[in-house]
Amino acid sequence: MLYDCRSLADRDRGIAAAIEAVKNGELVVIPTDTVYGLGADAFTPYAVTALLDAKGRGRHMPPPVLVGSRHTLDGLVITLPQVARDLVEAFWPGALTIIVEHSPSLQWDLGDAGGTVAVRMPLHPVALEVLQETGPMAVSSANKTGQPAAVTAEEARDQLGYSVRAYLEAGVCPDPVPSTIVDLTTHTPRIVRQGAIPLEKLREVAPDIVGAVS
């Protein structure tokens, strides 16, 4: 079902429906500050599998995880490099995804991630309201693999159909540029996908960061 979150009543119903769906292991589509995301409970393996199946993607491309607060990140890792904390302080919530080593004790299966996870805190009130109730969600762009990323929930519904329980519509994404992804699992931070946050801005916080290889 599609809920128009630009209407206050529909927003409340939609957010409640999305939270319930995620807790039941079902898929939802939520707006973010980049593009619309297809989401599932990160700690429910069959839900993550359903997400990958809906996108037509294999385990070799594990989805990133969205969180509703900076503090949640501490629960996902054993240690966090200082550069990671500096980048999070500067750019979260926002269009920065960081790749870190996750705690081996976590009861999740995101795919063949090799002990790492890509994490982001989005700058969107609807997404944050959902995430603060559901906890970490596996979220990928709300489209079939190889198709354009959805910039409205309606576009996402056209591609994903009945595989999703709740679609939260918040209008056209104002700036549909994907997040910048920075790998922090090696000694030198490295951009692996250039996105909304440019290298120059990142270097103001992390001077040693290496740009993406073109």
Side-chain angles (χ1 to χ4, degrees):
M1 185 168 178
L2 190 144
Y3 300 87
D4 190 342
C5 294
R6 293 166 293 187
S7 154
L8 189 58
D10 221 20
R11 174 191 168 116
D12 290 344
R13 285 194 296 268
I15 287 174
I19 292 167
E20 180 182 13
V22 172
K23 290 183 176 181
N24 287 338
E26 297 175 290
L27 303 183
V28 298
V29 163
I30 58 174
T32 78
D33 48 333
T34 55
V35 295
Y36 277 74
L38 172 65
D41 178 21
F43 294 97
T44 302
Y46 69 80
V48 176
T49 298
L51 184 157
L52 295 173
D53 289 346
K55 282 187 65 76
R57 176 177 286 186
R59 287 176 53 83
H60 65 289
M61 296 182 71
V65 169
L66 294 191
V67 296
S69 78
R70 295 173 185 166
H71 301 299
T72 305
L73 183 60
D74 288 319
L76 302 180
V77 300
I78 295 179
T79 59
L80 200 62
Q82 185 58 47
V83 66
R85 296 193 184 279
D86 294 341
L87 288 168
V88 163
E89 181 67 28
F91 298 108
W92 278 16
L96 174 69
T97 299
I98 60 171
I99 299 175
V100 292
E101 294 180 0
H102 68 73
S103 171
S105 64
L106 289 181
Q107 298 298 306
W108 66 11
D109 182 6
L110 300 174
D112 301 331
T116 67
V117 62
V119 192
R120 184 167 91 86
M121 180 182 176
L123 181 57
H124 196 289
V126 172
L128 290 175
E129 200 166 332
V130 173
L131 288 161
Q132 283 158 9
E133 292 297 323
T134 63
M137 286 174 57
V139 179
S140 188
S141 57
N143 57 281
K144 292 282 190 183
T145 298
Q147 297 298 310
V151 296
T152 66
E154 194 167 349
E155 281 188 11
R157 185 172 61 176
D158 289 344
Q159 293 192 47
L160 301 169
Y162 292 108
S163 62
V164 174
R165 176 64 181 273
Y167 291 87
L168 303 190
E169 180 66 83
V172 177
C173 297
D175 190 18
V177 178
S179 65
T180 298
I181 302 177
V182 177
D183 186 349
L184 298 172
T185 63
T186 58
H187 181 68
T188 302
R190 179 173 59 90
I191 294 177
V192 295
R193 182 180 74 189
Q194 183 59 65
I197 301 175
L199 175 61
E200 307 79 62
K201 282 285 186 187
L202 293 169
R203 279 188 171 155
E204 291 175 8
V205 177
D208 295 337
I209 197 165
V210 176
V213 177
S214 57

